[in-house]
Amino acid sequence: MSTSIPVVEQLPTLPTEEVLSAVRSAFAELAAGTAVQPAQTVTLLPGGGDVIAYQAATSDAYAAKVSPYLPQPDGPAIVTAWTVVLSTRTGRPVVLCDSAALTVERTAATTALAVDLLARSDASTLAVIGAGPQAHAHLRYARAVRSFTDVRIYSRSLREAPDGTTLAASADEAAAGADVVLLCTSAAEAVIDVTALSPGTLVTSISTNVPKAHEIAPTELPKLEVYGDYRPTVTASAGELVIAAEQGIWSPEQLRGDLPELLTGTCERPSGERPVFFRSIGLGIEDLAIARLLVPST
Amino acid sequence: MSTSIPVVEQLPTLPTEEVLSAVRSAFAELAAGTAVQPAQTVTLLPGGGDVIAYQAATSDAYAAKVSPYLPQPDGPAIVTAWTVVLSTRTGRPVVLCDSAALTVERTAATTALAVDLLARSDASTLAVIGAGPQAHAHLRYARAVRSFTDVRIYSRSLREAPDGTTLAASADEAAAGADVVLLCTSAAEAVIDVTALSPGTLVTSISTNVPKAHEIAPTELPKLEVYGDYRPTVTASAGELVIAAEQGIWSPEQLRGDLPELLTGTCERPSGERPVFFRSIGLGIEDLAIARLLVPST
């Protein structure tokens, strides 16, 4: 019995540029066909609850992320997620890590990649809606891709603005006149009025895993230029996209592009005529990309 | 960063009775509906090869086994398998282990469970065909369920009989008059003539993962009382069963029973009128049952 791979329970601080570069490479590999992203599987547990398994492979590694959802008789359900990464050169595991912190990093880095690809190059005003770990990570990664000089933040629970930011009185006040608006809430309903935004403004949304959760009104989608992280998964799972498609007011063919398409120049960029909306769901290859940074040398 | 779960690369010696009891419990849970055994998934790797993922859950644990098949430009493919077990009480991983040795133990213990359920209670003569790790493990576990006084062994490569066994000149000579015949070869074709066996003789077969591999002639199936480890998987994957069904000489409805049915008494036991054939494919719940024995206390 010997222990020879790192088991990472607490994420070390990862260099922002390295994380951004890893996520960018993962989507470039997806575009080039050297990364694969199979559908997730759900195993219903005999005692109630379930385990969702996500798999992903890039040119030299494979990852399986398993995430149990375990209802408790008295109190909130236990939800965890663990990722095991195998080298596809050796067939051996290289790291097993707690995916919770990993998820925050990869989600924020993916949003920042979208900001880099979709926001005006001279974007200077940023609005962040939310004040949790996702909001903080989004702010950090967004600052790495644009030089924001005016940063407004709004959250119902926030009483004091973090350093270098201004506290707004409402989400709509924070968003008014901003070049980029990052929605980082766990809201299940619209948090800003996107019809009040100027053409070219970029709004990003991550929302939650709750079925049909959304941070903007599905009815406003036709007024926006809509992009997503990965076409097959975002059109199937994003609450506002699914609702608008069910209502017949928007269809998946209207998605202008996704990150692999934006990286390879195979979709139209924003026209500047309408506000731009970027929605992400999250992919196993993002987890794999970050998890590999935890391994000293593979 | 902290290491707090065992990573097992070399299997410690496990008590035979504990392993047998764990495998029996796993099949009993499957019968009772407190264990689930989803279908396996195959992820094709971008650079060639694939990863098969097996999942399983019992009343208090979940396991994912990932097995990469990695073709090499010069030499045989690399094939590994790793199992990560999560507690479904806490949602946390409890062990990550190399599944290679685990597979030998659970396969042999499953065969022994079948011997216990299908062989004559006074069985005294045993034939083992093969001399690899599976043959040795099969011999060890079979001896725990019946008091064999005459043990014959045959393998093309074997020059000397292990302690307490007699070397046979051929597989058919070893099998002649035996109460139980354990086939433990990597042969892709029939290794014994089952038509020469007496009624009530039990033949077990594990075969290999090679598509349509088999250790008895598919054409002889109609002359046998056929059982399997688990009805849905064995009828779909066992080489001789699939071939015989394709030839129209046998159908999956003719499978008399599987281990969950035998344990709960919901299928017919052997009639004693024909030789009995037991075929196993292997299940994720078996890996899970053994892997949990590696965890000091969960």
Side-chain angles (χ1 to χ4, degrees), chain A residues 252-281:
Chain A
E253 294 79 52
Q254 288 174 265
L255 191 87
R256 285 172 69 99
D258 64 9
L259 292 175
E261 292 164 3
L262 284 164
L263 283 170
T264 51
T266 52
C267 69
E268 283 186 282
R269 303 208 155 245
S271 68
E273 290 163 14
R274 286 184 288 167
V276 180
F277 179 63
F278 173 80
R279 176 60 137 94
S280 68
I281 289 291

PDB file of all heavy atoms in Angstrom, chain A residues 252-281:
ATOM      1  N   PRO A 252     -32.348  27.454 -30.963  1.00  0.00           N
ATOM      2  CA  PRO A 252     -30.907  27.214 -30.813  1.00  0.00           C
ATOM      3  C   PRO A 252     -30.087  27.642 -32.034  1.00  0.00           C
ATOM      4  O   PRO A 252     -28.911  27.965 -31.897  1.00  0.00           O
ATOM      5  CB  PRO A 252     -30.827  25.706 -30.586  1.00  0.00           C
ATOM      6  CG  PRO A 252     -32.126  25.354 -29.928  1.00  0.00           C
ATOM      7  CD  PRO A 252     -33.143  26.265 -30.563  1.00  0.00           C
ATOM      8  N   GLU A 253     -30.713  27.665 -33.222  1.00  0.00           N
ATOM      9  CA  GLU A 253     -29.962  28.098 -34.420  1.00  0.00           C
ATOM     10  C   GLU A 253     -29.598  29.579 -34.326  1.00  0.00           C
ATOM     11  O   GLU A 253     -28.741  30.062 -35.059  1.00  0.00           O
ATOM     12  CB  GLU A 253     -30.771  27.874 -35.708  1.00  0.00           C
ATOM     13  CG  GLU A 253     -31.032  26.412 -36.037  1.00  0.00           C
ATOM     14  CD  GLU A 253     -32.148  25.832 -35.217  1.00  0.00           C
ATOM     15  OE1 GLU A 253     -33.249  26.435 -35.186  1.00  0.00           O
ATOM     16  OE2 GLU A 253     -31.937  24.782 -34.549  1.00  0.00           O
ATOM     17  N   GLN A 254     -30.293  30.314 -33.438  1.00  0.00           N
ATOM     18  CA  GLN A 254     -30.001  31.742 -33.294  1.00  0.00           C
ATOM     19  C   GLN A 254     -28.793  31.999 -32.397  1.00  0.00           C
ATOM     20  O   GLN A 254     -28.375  33.147 -32.247  1.00  0.00           O
ATOM     21  CB  GLN A 254     -31.232  32.466 -32.742  1.00  0.00           C
ATOM     22  CG  GLN A 254     -32.343  32.576 -33.776  1.00  0.00           C
ATOM     23  CD  GLN A 254     -33.617  33.161 -33.172  1.00  0.00           C
ATOM     24  OE1 GLN A 254     -34.508  32.439 -32.759  1.00  0.00           O
ATOM     25  NE2 GLN A 254     -33.670  34.483 -33.116  1.00  0.00           N
ATOM     26  N   LEU A 255     -28.260  30.949 -31.783  1.00  0.00           N
ATOM     27  CA  LEU A 255     -27.021  31.124 -31.008  1.00  0.00           C
ATOM     28  C   LEU A 255     -25.938  31.522 -32.005  1.00  0.00           C
ATOM     29  O   LEU A 255     -25.632  30.770 -32.939  1.00  0.00           O
ATOM     30  CB  LEU A 255     -26.636  29.815 -30.299  1.00  0.00           C
ATOM     31  CG  LEU A 255     -25.509  29.960 -29.269  1.00  0.00           C
ATOM     32  CD1 LEU A 255     -26.091  30.358 -27.903  1.00  0.00           C
ATOM     33  CD2 LEU A 255     -24.723  28.663 -29.117  1.00  0.00           C
ATOM     34  N   ARG A 256     -25.354  32.726 -31.831  1.00  0.00           N
ATOM     35  CA  ARG A 256     -24.404  33.234 -32.836  1.00  0.00           C
ATOM     36  C   ARG A 256     -23.074  32.480 -32.822  1.00  0.00           C
ATOM     37  O   ARG A 256     -22.391  32.407 -33.847  1.00  0.00           O
ATOM     38  CB  ARG A 256     -24.135  34.715 -32.601  1.00  0.00           C
ATOM     39  CG  ARG A 256     -25.293  35.588 -33.044  1.00  0.00           C
ATOM     40  CD  ARG A 256     -25.073  37.020 -32.626  1.00  0.00           C
ATOM     41  NE  ARG A 256     -23.983  37.675 -33.349  1.00  0.00           N
ATOM     42  CZ  ARG A 256     -24.150  38.488 -34.391  1.00  0.00           C
ATOM     43  NH1 ARG A 256     -25.363  38.708 -34.884  1.00  0.00           N
ATOM     44  NH2 ARG A 256     -23.107  39.092 -34.941  1.00  0.00           N
ATOM     45  N   GLY A 257     -22.709  31.912 -31.675  1.00  0.00           N
ATOM     46  CA  GLY A 257     -21.426  31.213 -31.628  1.00  0.00           C
ATOM     47  C   GLY A 257     -21.099  30.718 -30.238  1.00  0.00           C
ATOM     48  O   GLY A 257     -21.780  31.064 -29.265  1.00  0.00           O
ATOM     49  N   ASP A 258     -20.069  29.886 -30.141  1.00  0.00           N
ATOM     50  CA  ASP A 258     -19.590  29.420 -28.841  1.00  0.00           C
ATOM     51  C   ASP A 258     -18.081  29.648 -28.767  1.00  0.00           C
ATOM     52  O   ASP A 258     -17.474  30.168 -29.716  1.00  0.00           O
ATOM     53  CB  ASP A 258     -19.997  27.956 -28.596  1.00  0.00           C
ATOM     54  CG  ASP A 258     -19.364  26.974 -29.577  1.00  0.00           C
ATOM     55  OD1 ASP A 258     -18.466  27.371 -30.362  1.00  0.00           O
ATOM     56  OD2 ASP A 258     -19.779  25.798 -29.562  1.00  0.00           O
ATOM     57  N   LEU A 259     -17.472  29.276 -27.655  1.00  0.00           N
ATOM     58  CA  LEU A 259     -16.047  29.581 -27.458  1.00  0.00           C
ATOM     59  C   LEU A 259     -15.141  28.905 -28.490  1.00  0.00           C
ATOM     60  O   LEU A 259     -14.244  29.560 -29.029  1.00  0.00           O
ATOM     61  CB  LEU A 259     -15.621  29.249 -26.022  1.00  0.00           C
ATOM     62  CG  LEU A 259     -16.250  30.161 -24.939  1.00  0.00           C
ATOM     63  CD1 LEU A 259     -15.865  29.682 -23.538  1.00  0.00           C
ATOM     64  CD2 LEU A 259     -15.822  31.621 -25.141  1.00  0.00           C
ATOM     65  N   PRO A 260     -15.348  27.599 -28.812  1.00  0.00           N
ATOM     66  CA  PRO A 260     -14.507  27.020 -29.867  1.00  0.00           C
ATOM     67  C   PRO A 260     -14.646  27.778 -31.195  1.00  0.00           C
ATOM     68  O   PRO A 260     -13.652  28.021 -31.886  1.00  0.00           O
ATOM     69  CB  PRO A 260     -15.034  25.578 -29.985  1.00  0.00           C
ATOM     70  CG  PRO A 260     -15.601  25.267 -28.630  1.00  0.00           C
ATOM     71  CD  PRO A 260     -16.187  26.567 -28.151  1.00  0.00           C
ATOM     72  N   GLU A 261     -15.857  28.187 -31.534  1.00  0.00           N
ATOM     73  CA  GLU A 261     -16.077  28.924 -32.794  1.00  0.00           C
ATOM     74  C   GLU A 261     -15.441  30.315 -32.750  1.00  0.00           C
ATOM     75  O   GLU A 261     -14.844  30.775 -33.732  1.00  0.00           O
ATOM     76  CB  GLU A 261     -17.586  29.036 -33.080  1.00  0.00           C
ATOM     77  CG  GLU A 261     -18.239  27.687 -33.423  1.00  0.00           C
ATOM     78  CD  GLU A 261     -19.765  27.700 -33.325  1.00  0.00           C
ATOM     79  OE1 GLU A 261     -20.351  28.771 -33.041  1.00  0.00           O
ATOM     80  OE2 GLU A 261     -20.362  26.622 -33.498  1.00  0.00           O
ATOM     81  N   LEU A 262     -15.561  30.979 -31.599  1.00  0.00           N
ATOM     82  CA  LEU A 262     -14.951  32.315 -31.466  1.00  0.00           C
ATOM     83  C   LEU A 262     -13.430  32.222 -31.553  1.00  0.00           C
ATOM     84  O   LEU A 262     -12.773  33.071 -32.159  1.00  0.00           O
ATOM     85  CB  LEU A 262     -15.374  32.953 -30.136  1.00  0.00           C
ATOM     86  CG  LEU A 262     -16.810  33.499 -30.085  1.00  0.00           C
ATOM     87  CD1 LEU A 262     -17.250  33.735 -28.646  1.00  0.00           C
ATOM     88  CD2 LEU A 262     -16.929  34.794 -30.903  1.00  0.00           C
ATOM     89  N   LEU A 263     -12.867  31.166 -30.965  1.00  0.00           N
ATOM     90  CA  LEU A 263     -11.400  31.018 -30.962  1.00  0.00           C
ATOM     91  C   LEU A 263     -10.872  30.716 -32.355  1.00  0.00           C
ATOM     92  O   LEU A 263      -9.733  31.058 -32.673  1.00  0.00           O
ATOM     93  CB  LEU A 263     -10.984  29.894 -30.002  1.00  0.00           C
ATOM     94  CG  LEU A 263     -11.004  30.250 -28.513  1.00  0.00           C
ATOM     95  CD1 LEU A 263     -10.826  28.997 -27.662  1.00  0.00           C
ATOM     96  CD2 LEU A 263      -9.914  31.270 -28.182  1.00  0.00           C
ATOM     97  N   THR A 264     -11.692  30.056 -33.183  1.00  0.00           N
ATOM     98  CA  THR A 264     -11.223  29.691 -34.527  1.00  0.00           C
ATOM     99  C   THR A 264     -11.784  30.623 -35.593  1.00  0.00           C
ATOM    100  O   THR A 264     -11.523  30.425 -36.776  1.00  0.00           O
ATOM    101  CB  THR A 264     -11.646  28.242 -34.868  1.00  0.00           C
ATOM    102  OG1 THR A 264     -13.052  28.093 -34.622  1.00  0.00           O
ATOM    103  CG2 THR A 264     -10.884  27.239 -34.028  1.00  0.00           C
ATOM    104  N   GLY A 265     -12.540  31.635 -35.172  1.00  0.00           N
ATOM    105  CA  GLY A 265     -13.070  32.594 -36.136  1.00  0.00           C
ATOM    106  C   GLY A 265     -14.113  32.015 -37.077  1.00  0.00           C
ATOM    107  O   GLY A 265     -14.281  32.486 -38.203  1.00  0.00           O
ATOM    108  N   THR A 266     -14.839  30.991 -36.621  1.00  0.00           N
ATOM    109  CA  THR A 266     -15.843  30.366 -37.492  1.00  0.00           C
ATOM    110  C   THR A 266     -17.270  30.804 -37.142  1.00  0.00           C
ATOM    111  O   THR A 266     -18.226  30.162 -37.544  1.00  0.00           O
ATOM    112  CB  THR A 266     -15.748  28.821 -37.409  1.00  0.00           C
ATOM    113  OG1 THR A 266     -15.793  28.428 -36.038  1.00  0.00           O
ATOM    114  CG2 THR A 266     -14.453  28.335 -38.033  1.00  0.00           C
ATOM    115  N   CYS A 267     -17.399  31.889 -36.368  1.00  0.00           N
ATOM    116  CA  CYS A 267     -18.744  32.460 -36.136  1.00  0.00           C
ATOM    117  C   CYS A 267     -18.628  33.970 -36.209  1.00  0.00           C
ATOM    118  O   CYS A 267     -17.527  34.523 -36.183  1.00  0.00           O
ATOM    119  CB  CYS A 267     -19.304  32.025 -34.782  1.00  0.00           C
ATOM    120  SG  CYS A 267     -18.460  32.741 -33.359  1.00  0.00           S
ATOM    121  N   GLU A 268     -19.772  34.628 -36.310  1.00  0.00           N
ATOM    122  CA  GLU A 268     -19.764  36.092 -36.359  1.00  0.00           C
ATOM    123  C   GLU A 268     -19.455  36.673 -34.993  1.00  0.00           C
ATOM    124  O   GLU A 268     -19.946  36.194 -33.980  1.00  0.00           O
ATOM    125  CB  GLU A 268     -21.135  36.594 -36.822  1.00  0.00           C
ATOM    126  CG  GLU A 268     -21.356  36.454 -38.310  1.00  0.00           C
ATOM    127  CD  GLU A 268     -22.660  37.103 -38.720  1.00  0.00           C
ATOM    128  OE1 GLU A 268     -23.708  36.475 -38.499  1.00  0.00           O
ATOM    129  OE2 GLU A 268     -22.607  38.241 -39.226  1.00  0.00           O
ATOM    130  N   ARG A 269     -18.686  37.735 -34.968  1.00  0.00           N
ATOM    131  CA  ARG A 269     -18.434  38.451 -33.720  1.00  0.00           C
ATOM    132  C   ARG A 269     -19.619  39.400 -33.469  1.00  0.00           C
ATOM    133  O   ARG A 269     -20.454  39.583 -34.356  1.00  0.00           O
ATOM    134  CB  ARG A 269     -17.127  39.245 -33.838  1.00  0.00           C
ATOM    135  CG  ARG A 269     -15.965  38.321 -34.184  1.00  0.00           C
ATOM    136  CD  ARG A 269     -14.630  38.817 -33.698  1.00  0.00           C
ATOM    137  NE  ARG A 269     -13.774  37.634 -33.554  1.00  0.00           N
ATOM    138  CZ  ARG A 269     -13.300  37.191 -32.399  1.00  0.00           C
ATOM    139  NH1 ARG A 269     -13.549  37.824 -31.282  1.00  0.00           N
ATOM    140  NH2 ARG A 269     -12.557  36.108 -32.355  1.00  0.00           N
ATOM    141  N   PRO A 270     -19.706  39.992 -32.300  1.00  0.00           N
ATOM    142  CA  PRO A 270     -20.817  40.918 -32.032  1.00  0.00           C
ATOM    143  C   PRO A 270     -20.837  42.058 -33.060  1.00  0.00           C
ATOM    144  O   PRO A 270     -19.787  42.554 -33.475  1.00  0.00           O
ATOM    145  CB  PRO A 270     -20.492  41.455 -30.637  1.00  0.00           C
ATOM    146  CG  PRO A 270     -19.693  40.369 -29.992  1.00  0.00           C
ATOM    147  CD  PRO A 270     -18.872  39.770 -31.092  1.00  0.00           C
ATOM    148  N   SER A 271     -22.060  42.448 -33.476  1.00  0.00           N
ATOM    149  CA  SER A 271     -22.194  43.485 -34.508  1.00  0.00           C
ATOM    150  C   SER A 271     -22.086  44.886 -33.933  1.00  0.00           C
ATOM    151  O   SER A 271     -21.873  45.852 -34.654  1.00  0.00           O
ATOM    152  CB  SER A 271     -23.552  43.333 -35.205  1.00  0.00           C
ATOM    153  OG  SER A 271     -24.585  43.657 -34.278  1.00  0.00           O
ATOM    154  N   GLY A 272     -22.306  45.013 -32.614  1.00  0.00           N
ATOM    155  CA  GLY A 272     -22.339  46.326 -31.992  1.00  0.00           C
ATOM    156  C   GLY A 272     -23.706  46.981 -32.067  1.00  0.00           C
ATOM    157  O   GLY A 272     -23.910  48.088 -31.579  1.00  0.00           O
ATOM    158  N   GLU A 273     -24.669  46.276 -32.661  1.00  0.00           N
ATOM    159  CA  GLU A 273     -26.010  46.865 -32.830  1.00  0.00           C
ATOM    160  C   GLU A 273     -26.969  46.544 -31.690  1.00  0.00           C
ATOM    161  O   GLU A 273     -28.001  47.182 -31.546  1.00  0.00           O
ATOM    162  CB  GLU A 273     -26.617  46.375 -34.160  1.00  0.00           C
ATOM    163  CG  GLU A 273     -25.905  46.962 -35.362  1.00  0.00           C
ATOM    164  CD  GLU A 273     -26.207  46.204 -36.652  1.00  0.00           C
ATOM    165  OE1 GLU A 273     -27.166  45.410 -36.653  1.00  0.00           O
ATOM    166  OE2 GLU A 273     -25.447  46.395 -37.617  1.00  0.00           O
ATOM    167  N   ARG A 274     -26.640  45.506 -30.917  1.00  0.00           N
ATOM    168  CA  ARG A 274     -27.518  45.105 -29.817  1.00  0.00           C
ATOM    169  C   ARG A 274     -26.651  44.714 -28.617  1.00  0.00           C
ATOM    170  O   ARG A 274     -25.457  44.448 -28.787  1.00  0.00           O
ATOM    171  CB  ARG A 274     -28.361  43.892 -30.249  1.00  0.00           C
ATOM    172  CG  ARG A 274     -29.474  44.253 -31.224  1.00  0.00           C
ATOM    173  CD  ARG A 274     -30.325  43.028 -31.544  1.00  0.00           C
ATOM    174  NE  ARG A 274     -29.597  42.087 -32.382  1.00  0.00           N
ATOM    175  CZ  ARG A 274     -29.988  40.821 -32.628  1.00  0.00           C
ATOM    176  NH1 ARG A 274     -31.084  40.357 -32.053  1.00  0.00           N
ATOM    177  NH2 ARG A 274     -29.287  40.028 -33.413  1.00  0.00           N
ATOM    178  N   PRO A 275     -27.234  44.630 -27.422  1.00  0.00           N
ATOM    179  CA  PRO A 275     -26.452  44.091 -26.308  1.00  0.00           C
ATOM    180  C   PRO A 275     -26.072  42.640 -26.608  1.00  0.00           C
ATOM    181  O   PRO A 275     -26.760  41.950 -27.368  1.00  0.00           O
ATOM    182  CB  PRO A 275     -27.420  44.175 -25.115  1.00  0.00           C
ATOM    183  CG  PRO A 275     -28.437  45.199 -25.493  1.00  0.00           C
ATOM    184  CD  PRO A 275     -28.582  45.095 -26.983  1.00  0.00           C
ATOM    185  N   VAL A 276     -24.971  42.185 -26.005  1.00  0.00           N
ATOM    186  CA  VAL A 276     -24.442  40.838 -26.230  1.00  0.00           C
ATOM    187  C   VAL A 276     -24.628  40.032 -24.952  1.00  0.00           C
ATOM    188  O   VAL A 276     -24.382  40.542 -23.853  1.00  0.00           O
ATOM    189  CB  VAL A 276     -22.940  40.913 -26.602  1.00  0.00           C
ATOM    190  CG1 VAL A 276     -22.373  39.514 -26.842  1.00  0.00           C
ATOM    191  CG2 VAL A 276     -22.744  41.814 -27.809  1.00  0.00           C
ATOM    192  N   PHE A 277     -25.060  38.775 -25.093  1.00  0.00           N
ATOM    193  CA  PHE A 277     -25.292  37.921 -23.930  1.00  0.00           C
ATOM    194  C   PHE A 277     -24.450  36.665 -24.061  1.00  0.00           C
ATOM    195  O   PHE A 277     -24.476  35.991 -25.093  1.00  0.00           O
ATOM    196  CB  PHE A 277     -26.783  37.562 -23.852  1.00  0.00           C
ATOM    197  CG  PHE A 277     -27.131  36.660 -22.684  1.00  0.00           C
ATOM    198  CD1 PHE A 277     -26.962  37.082 -21.374  1.00  0.00           C
ATOM    199  CD2 PHE A 277     -27.660  35.394 -22.908  1.00  0.00           C
ATOM    200  CE1 PHE A 277     -27.291  36.250 -20.299  1.00  0.00           C
ATOM    201  CE2 PHE A 277     -27.993  34.556 -21.839  1.00  0.00           C
ATOM    202  CZ  PHE A 277     -27.804  34.993 -20.532  1.00  0.00           C
ATOM    203  N   PHE A 278     -23.652  36.351 -23.021  1.00  0.00           N
ATOM    204  CA  PHE A 278     -22.848  35.130 -23.014  1.00  0.00           C
ATOM    205  C   PHE A 278     -23.291  34.262 -21.854  1.00  0.00           C
ATOM    206  O   PHE A 278     -23.281  34.670 -20.697  1.00  0.00           O
ATOM    207  CB  PHE A 278     -21.356  35.429 -22.876  1.00  0.00           C
ATOM    208  CG  PHE A 278     -20.529  34.181 -22.692  1.00  0.00           C
ATOM    209  CD1 PHE A 278     -20.179  33.390 -23.778  1.00  0.00           C
ATOM    210  CD2 PHE A 278     -20.119  33.771 -21.424  1.00  0.00           C
ATOM    211  CE1 PHE A 278     -19.448  32.208 -23.609  1.00  0.00           C
ATOM    212  CE2 PHE A 278     -19.391  32.602 -21.251  1.00  0.00           C
ATOM    213  CZ  PHE A 278     -19.055  31.816 -22.346  1.00  0.00           C
ATOM    214  N   ARG A 279     -23.660  33.009 -22.174  1.00  0.00           N
ATOM    215  CA  ARG A 279     -24.126  32.094 -21.140  1.00  0.00           C
ATOM    216  C   ARG A 279     -23.214  30.877 -21.071  1.00  0.00           C
ATOM    217  O   ARG A 279     -22.883  30.281 -22.109  1.00  0.00           O
ATOM    218  CB  ARG A 279     -25.550  31.647 -21.487  1.00  0.00           C
ATOM    219  CG  ARG A 279     -26.110  30.607 -20.529  1.00  0.00           C
ATOM    220  CD  ARG A 279     -26.172  31.148 -19.083  1.00  0.00           C
ATOM    221  NE  ARG A 279     -27.419  30.774 -18.460  1.00  0.00           N
ATOM    222  CZ  ARG A 279     -27.575  29.679 -17.706  1.00  0.00           C
ATOM    223  NH1 ARG A 279     -26.539  28.895 -17.480  1.00  0.00           N
ATOM    224  NH2 ARG A 279     -28.742  29.408 -17.189  1.00  0.00           N
ATOM    225  N   SER A 280     -22.783  30.498 -19.880  1.00  0.00           N
ATOM    226  CA  SER A 280     -21.977  29.280 -19.748  1.00  0.00           C
ATOM    227  C   SER A 280     -22.657  28.279 -18.828  1.00  0.00           C
ATOM    228  O   SER A 280     -23.406  28.644 -17.921  1.00  0.00           O
ATOM    229  CB  SER A 280     -20.569  29.595 -19.248  1.00  0.00           C
ATOM    230  OG  SER A 280     -20.617  30.045 -17.918  1.00  0.00           O
ATOM    231  N   ILE A 281     -22.390  27.017 -19.115  1.00  0.00           N
ATOM    232  CA  ILE A 281     -22.935  25.897 -18.336  1.00  0.00           C
ATOM    233  C   ILE A 281     -21.804  25.209 -17.573  1.00  0.00           C
ATOM    234  O   ILE A 281     -21.981  24.761 -16.453  1.00  0.00           O
ATOM    235  CB  ILE A 281     -23.582  24.863 -19.300  1.00  0.00           C
ATOM    236  CG1 ILE A 281     -24.868  25.420 -19.890  1.00  0.00           C
ATOM    237  CG2 ILE A 281     -23.837  23.533 -18.608  1.00  0.00           C
ATOM    238  CD1 ILE A 281     -25.988  25.566 -18.886  1.00  0.00           C
TER     239      ILE A 281
END
